[in-house]
Amino acid sequence: AVVSTQSGHYGRGIVKFVVGLQQPDGSFYGDVWGEVDTRFTFCAFATLALLGRLDECDLDAGVGFILRCRNFDGAFGCTPGSESHGGQVYCCVGALSIAGQLHLIDTEQLGWWLSERQLESGGLNGRPEKLPDVCYSWWVLASLKIIGKAHWIDKGKLVRFILASQDEETGGFADRPGDCVDPFHTLFGLAGLSLLGESSLAKINPVLCMPQRVIDKLSIKLEIINPYV
Amino acid sequence: KQWYQRRVAITAGSERALKLTTDAIDLNTANYTVWHYRREILKALKCDLEDEFRFTAQVIESQPKSYQVWHHRRCLIQMTKDPSRELGLTESTLSDDAKNYHAWDHRQWVLEQYGLWDGEFDYIEMLLQRDLRNNSAWNHRYFVVNSTDKWNHETVKKELEYAAKYIRKAPNNESSWNYANGIIKKNKFSYDEFPEFIDFCIKLDEDKILSPFLYSTLADIYQASGKSKRAHELYEKLKECDSIREKYWIYKQNLL
């Protein structure tokens, strides 16, 4: 279905809409009503890349905006000056991966900031001094994976944290052990476990949060840094 | 038919249509289409937006993490060019949750747009006195300095003294260490340009303060000044006291 939209009617409309949301400073609105956030840069890049039309936006300007959202701690926020946040880091790192610009990241500094998200419980938080949350098993871990530093956290401890966040009666995953389960945390718990090498799960692509076998069928380049180089 | 009626109501602009959007927002604050219609109706009715500021503040109080209500608030300010309520609003939201990401983003936007910097350092100081581990407040300090001053040697030195004051109170606070190390690195200075800060770190170590952030900073300082053996010893310490990140400390050790 995705492949057929590349040359189809819907593809053209989508590309026009997304490209039209880019602003002179390189950022993207989320819709015509003007909210700016690096989440929308990631969505824009991903949408255009999946349709094979990434070159139709101003990629350099988009990358320039992301870099202006990088903070003194080496991580990224939603707009220039906003606090570094695991979810925003994923969006910025993912966008830079799609744009083929991962070399612009200080992977040592960012990798360390991301590894500091792991608490004694094994879970990951999204910012310093916040509680761990299973969804950061995706945002933070995928970011680490993309920049080749996933081995900088204790994988065994994280696996145990994610599994402990399940509801043993109903199934599903919650944000942390003991809380109510929901589809959002179930998705990211499973995605995190796949990244951690859980053999019963399909291999997941850390940039687009889609099965790798789906990505392999598309002619889309997603940069991932080899951890062993 | 309902859809058509709604469109007519919006174009005409009516109190009833406005009430409809109020009800819809109550059911789902995240419905950005409804917020958009609401703005169109407000413009058509040429409302005095005093009531709307009050309404939005109420929604923010019950749903402080809604992207849509904060965006609506920004639109109101853009429509009225009146930011006078916003520092108070964000201060109130942050007194319930000092790390509310939306409130901080909104506050920063207002400060930058309208240059309302007076008193902001006092506000940050108050927040850090309340909780020196508030990472949002540390980030905000960087933002305010960055917007109002130049990051020259004197500024960095002064900010390092500020960070050191809080590091002494809580040596295991990631935020204060990130701030200190970050302002040096981001502004392309090196540790040896700030001997007082180096002495401060060495003194903490001599006082046997147990802090992975201290050891990590000192290791970077020693590595930069060619004291690889001392850096190596610190990484051995880190592999033990911060074993969850053992592979990172091994990486840093191998760089020596």
Side-chain angles (χ1 to χ4, degrees):
Chain A
V2 172
V3 173
S4 69
T5 57
Q6 281 183 346
S7 52
H9 168 72
Y10 293 114
R12 279 198 293 279
I14 290 168
V15 170
K16 187 161 175 246
F17 172 71
V18 170
V19 169
L21 292 171
Q22 188 165 30
Q23 301 307 302
D25 69 355
S27 66
F28 282 85
Y29 281 174
D31 52 40
V32 296
W33 305 317
E35 200 189 334
V36 167
D37 189 312
T38 45
R39 288 178 296 142
F40 304 135
T41 305
F42 173 75
C43 292
F45 280 12
T47 304
L48 294 173
L50 284 165
L51 294 172
R53 311 274 285 280
L54 188 59
D55 53 343
E56 297 214 18
C57 72
D58 187 341
L59 207 58
D60 283 344
V63 167
F65 177 74
I66 293 172
L67 295 178
R68 287 198 299 284
C69 297
R70 180 164 50 191
N71 293 313
F72 57 88
D73 50 21
F76 298 84
C78 68
T79 50
S82 294
E83 188 184 0
S84 298
H85 181 292
Q88 309 293 151
V89 170
Y90 167 76
C91 293
C92 292
V93 170
L96 289 173
S97 163
I98 295 167
Q101 302 292 311
L102 287 179
H103 60 276
L104 297 173
I105 295 176
D106 181 338
T107 57
E108 183 186 309
Q109 190 187 21
L110 179 59
W112 179 74
W113 188 90
L114 287 166
S115 75
E116 279 293 331
R117 295 310 106 235
Q118 190 165 37
L119 304 173
E120 267 313 299
S121 63
L124 306 179
N125 63 20
R127 296 181 268 170
E129 294 295 324
K130 297 279 279 179
L131 293 174
D133 185 323
V134 158
C135 69
Y136 293 109
S137 309
W138 177 257
W139 311 123
V140 171
L141 188 60
S143 303
L144 280 165
K145 194 83 173 176
I146 296 167
I147 64 171
K149 307 291 188 219
H151 54 290
W152 283 1
I153 57 143
D154 185 319
K155 291 189 176 181
K157 278 190 134 183
L158 180 55
V159 167
R160 284 193 288 282
F161 178 84
I162 299 172
L163 293 176
S165 305
Q166 291 178 99
D167 183 322
E168 282 177 26
E169 284 175 14
T170 63
F173 293 79
D175 56 359
R176 61 188 70 90
D179 281 356
C180 292
V181 303
D182 62 52
F184 177 86
H185 292 97
T186 301
L187 165 66
F188 293 118
L190 288 173
L193 287 171
S194 171
L195 276 184
L196 290 163
E198 169 56 45
S199 54
S200 64
L201 297 172
K203 188 158 178 258
I204 196 152
N205 179 280
V207 180
L208 293 180
C209 197
M210 288 160 65
Q212 189 58 48
R213 62 172 187 267
V214 171
I215 303 295
D216 291 340
K217 290 195 191 138
L218 305 169
S219 50
I220 178 172
K221 267 203 309 227
L222 300 168
E223 241 191 356
I224 294 175
I225 296 178
N226 186 337
Y228 302 112
V229 161
Chain B
K1 194 184 175 201
Q2 275 183 342
W3 174 254
Y4 175 71
Q5 282 176 338
R6 247 177 271 137
R7 290 297 303 165
V8 167
I10 286 155
T11 325
S14 72
E15 288 293 339
R16 191 170 167 278
L18 189 66
K19 176 73 173 54
L20 253 174
T21 64
T22 309
D23 294 340
I25 285 162
D26 193 43
L27 289 170
N28 180 8
T29 318
N31 190 330
Y32 47 84
T33 309
V34 170
W35 281 106
H36 168 69
Y37 286 159
R38 189 176 176 89
R39 283 191 286 278
E40 295 297 295
I41 294 165
L42 289 168
K43 282 182 207 161
L45 289 175
K46 295 185 172 42
C47 288
D48 174 354
L49 294 174
E50 188 66 43
D51 281 340
E52 190 61 12
F53 275 109
R54 238 189 313 271
F55 169 72
T56 328
Q58 279 165 8
V59 178
I60 284 171
E61 201 180 355
S62 64
Q63 308 262 4
K65 293 191 182 181
S66 158
Y67 284 100
Q68 288 70 36
V69 67
W70 286 102
H71 180 66
H72 184 72
R73 187 86 186 181
R74 189 183 291 206
C75 292
L76 291 180
I77 298 161
Q78 285 167 330
M79 279 156 69
T80 58
K81 311 257 186 292
D82 180 5
S84 60
R85 307 165 188 80
E86 304 315 297
L87 296 186
L89 172 76
T90 50
E91 196 171 325
S92 171
T93 310
L94 291 169
S95 69
D96 288 333
D97 173 5
K99 300 172 188 184
N100 182 316
Y101 200 77
H102 305 271
W104 279 113
D105 191 44
H106 186 74
R107 192 176 178 95
Q108 287 189 346
W109 178 78
V110 169
L111 286 168
E112 199 160 44
Q113 281 293 303
Y114 295 96
L116 305 172
W117 304 106
D118 265 357
E120 202 60 11
F121 281 116
D122 289 339
Y123 179 60
I124 293 166
E125 177 67 15
M126 186 209 50
L127 287 174
L128 289 176
Q129 290 285 340
R130 212 183 268 170
D131 176 12
L132 47 71
R133 290 184 172 81
N134 183 340
N135 193 66
S136 307
W138 283 102
N139 178 74
H140 193 59
R141 187 165 179 102
Y142 187 93
F143 173 79
V144 176
V145 174
N146 199 53
S147 306
T148 58
D149 208 342
K150 289 189 202 354
W151 284 106
N152 53 30
H153 185 272
E154 192 190 319
T155 310
V156 175
K157 182 163 178 273
K158 195 181 75 179
E159 291 302 303
L160 283 174
E161 281 164 14
Y162 186 86
K165 180 177 86 174
Y166 281 99
I167 289 171
R168 253 240 172 263
K169 289 190 196 183
N172 256 308
N173 178 8
E174 184 185 349
S175 302
S176 49
W177 283 107
N178 276 358
Y179 188 77
N181 289 309
I183 60 177
I184 295 173
K185 191 182 166 85
K186 177 114 176 143
N187 298 297
K188 301 199 182 358
F189 287 102
S190 53
Y191 287 110
D192 58 12
E193 295 178 76
F194 304 99
E196 296 91 350
F197 182 68
I198 293 178
D199 289 342
F200 167 76
C201 294
I202 292 172
K203 179 80 178 31
L204 284 176
D205 193 30
E206 284 169 0
D207 291 346
K208 305 252 184 290
I209 298 292
L210 218 139
S211 159
F213 303 112
L214 167 64
Y215 300 155
S216 172
T217 303
L218 260 178
D220 282 340
I221 289 170
Y222 285 140
Q223 181 180 14
S225 60
K227 300 190 170 106
S228 301
K229 188 162 176 288
R230 304 203 65 174
H232 191 272
E233 284 163 9
L234 283 165
Y235 288 130
E236 285 298 308
K237 250 175 155 169
L238 281 160
K239 275 150 68 179
E240 214 169 311
C241 71
D242 194 39
S243 57
I244 207 169
R245 275 164 283 275
E246 191 191 18
K247 299 243 178 62
Y248 172 71
W249 302 121
I250 291 171
Y251 163 85
K252 290 285 279 182
Q253 207 172 37
N254 289 340
L255 287 179
L256 292 171

